[in-house]
Amino acid sequence: MDTAQRPHRHPEKRNRPDNPIQRKPSWIRVKAPVGKEYKNTRKIVDDHKLVTVCQEAACPNIGECWEKKHATFMIMGEICTRACAFCNVATGKPNALDAFEPFRIADAVEKLGLEHVVITSVDRDDLADGGAAHFAQVITAIRERMPETTIEILTPDFKGKHGALEVVVEARPDVFNHNLETVPRLYPTVRPGARYFTSLQLLAQVKQLDPTVFTKSGLMVGLGETKIEIQQLMDDYRAADVDFLTIGQYLQPTAKHHHIDRFVTPEEFESYASMARARGFLMVSSSPLTRSSYHAGDDFRRLRDAREKKLSAQRVTPAAE
């Protein structure tokens, strides 16, 4: 949909008071994307008429990732049915699903030569299954075109729609990611369209449906959370058997979005990583610029190795006793 049809990207935020955007500290600044491979990646995305979360969410890592031909595809359009206070994706009434999108994505994955691909989506509360079948069709299309490519999905919560999660899990993604984003206390202001324990339960249910699928989830910091709240969130994650935790700095997209409470230092991010590792996560990525799909391919290989190492240790231990 062009700007003439959708003049306001965030109509629900128009009348909110402005939150001044703070100057970023030195450890968060990134270079503008200018490389040759960045341009090639953009051309493939444009030629296939695809949407990426890299662009829609104004990811600070787009230059680095696209230079390596790593793009996170966002399916089911660029308009979300929800209006989270932190998110730069447009809010409004989405268009009908594009039945050919799964095949265009599979073709783009082949042309980019991706060994690992990340697929995410807008929230589609307007659909009977929340878009679950479309996720499954994308996974299937990639598997048929690129059977060796590993697939990571980053899904919405499907609003508790009966049977939706089962459809996605049955398509056998390698990694199932669903972000909690923030601590429970901040949900009413940061993520008002979602419920903390609904999201937590979804992650736990994935493991119950298929224990072989890696589960992953992300947290933003700098929204006003406390260290104790983060520790409790980590404990909740482990109770849900989440394998991989990502923690990154919240960056305010516009003056109408949720304000930044503070910029968390690199040293604090490392302390969060230590806390998470002590709780038994297979993988932790914690840094100011960490995002859900940042270095996803390399992280997947490390995640797979970490599980094998853990399983090997469990096999050896009984024999030693």
Side-chain angles (χ1 to χ4, degrees):
M1 186 180 292
D2 60 33
T3 54
Q5 295 172 291
R6 181 168 48 83
H8 301 291
R9 188 175 178 85
H10 303 287
E12 80 292 345
K13 296 180 175 68
R14 288 178 61 193
N15 297 321
R16 292 182 182 176
D18 286 354
N19 291 314
I21 297 179
Q22 302 177 45
R23 180 178 172 81
K24 297 181 182 69
S26 60
W27 62 79
I28 287 181
R29 294 170 198 166
V30 295
K31 295 180 180 179
V34 292
K36 177 182 177 182
E37 291 303 333
Y38 168 86
K39 294 175 182 176
N40 289 340
T41 300
R42 180 163 188 163
K43 185 177 188 304
I44 290 172
V45 169
D46 291 345
D47 288 349
H48 287 74
K49 299 179 181 178
L50 299 175
V51 180
T52 70
V53 74
C54 322
Q55 296 162 300
E56 296 300 315
C59 180
N61 302 315
I62 186 170
E64 178 186 349
C65 292
W66 283 27
E67 188 65 27
K68 297 176 181 177
K69 297 184 178 181
H70 297 165
T72 298
F73 299 110
M74 190 167 77
I75 62 176
M76 297 189 278
E78 73 276 22
I79 304 175
C80 188
T81 55
R82 300 190 196 175
C84 295
F86 64 88
C87 185
N88 198 42
V89 174
T91 301
K93 183 178 179 180
N95 297 318
L97 292 180
D98 179 355
F100 296 100
E101 182 178 52
F103 307 105
R104 293 203 312 276
I105 287 178
D107 192 54
V109 170
E110 183 178 32
K111 283 185 168 60
L112 288 167
L114 298 182
E115 296 179 1
H116 185 84
V117 62
V118 183
I119 308 295
T120 188
S121 79
V122 289
D123 283 291
R124 289 299 302 259
D125 296 326
D126 58 311
L127 300 175
D129 67 348
H134 200 76
F135 258 107
Q137 289 162 12
V138 171
I139 294 169
T140 299
I142 296 171
R143 291 264 188 252
E144 291 177 350
R145 183 70 67 89
M146 296 285 285
E148 299 303 315
T149 297
T150 50
I151 302 173
E152 179 172 331
I153 57 172
L154 172 55
T155 77
D157 60 15
F158 300 114
K159 207 76 172 182
K161 297 177 187 289
H162 181 70
L165 183 62
E166 287 81 353
V167 168
V168 180
V169 175
E170 285 173 8
R172 299 297 303 275
D174 296 282
V175 182
F176 193 111
N177 187 354
H178 175 69
N179 290 336
L180 293 187
E181 307 290 9
T182 190
V183 299
R185 177 177 57 85
L186 296 178
Y187 260 57
T189 54
V190 173
R191 203 177 175 221
R195 298 293 179 270
Y196 177 83
F197 286 105
T198 297
S199 288
L200 193 64
Q201 184 180 32
L202 179 143
L203 288 163
Q205 192 176 353
V206 171
K207 279 293 190 183
Q208 293 165 6
L209 292 168
D210 188 348
T212 68
V213 175
F214 290 104
T215 49
K216 178 177 176 180
S217 190
L219 166 69
M220 297 178 294
V221 292
L223 286 160
E225 69 291 329
T226 67
K227 183 176 180 180
I228 291 176
E229 287 176 317
I230 291 176
Q231 289 174 322
Q232 181 59 60
L233 185 147
M234 289 182 183
D235 290 339
D236 290 344
Y237 270 138
R238 292 304 301 133
D241 200 19
V242 171
D243 297 305
F244 187 1
L245 172 62
T246 62
I247 308 173
Q249 172 72 51
Y250 165 62
L251 297 177
Q252 184 181 339
T254 74
K256 297 297 183 182
H257 284 78
H258 195 286
H259 71 280
I260 294 177
D261 177 71
R262 70 190 182 96
F263 288 105
V264 178
T265 66
E267 292 75 20
E268 289 178 278
F269 275 104
E270 182 52 42
S271 73
Y272 290 146
S274 297
M275 287 162 48
R277 285 191 288 266
R279 283 166 168 77
F281 289 94
L282 285 179
M283 275 280 295
V284 182
S285 179
S286 177
S287 75
L289 289 173
T290 290
R291 296 295 181 268
S292 293
S293 55
Y294 191 42
H295 295 162
D298 293 338
D299 284 345
F300 174 74
R301 287 185 284 274
R302 285 193 285 268
L303 185 63
R304 190 167 49 191
D305 290 345
R307 173 188 278 177
E308 182 55 37
K309 183 177 180 180
K310 180 179 179 180
L311 291 176
S312 296
Q314 291 173 345
R315 289 192 291 267
V316 169
T317 301
E321 293 174 351

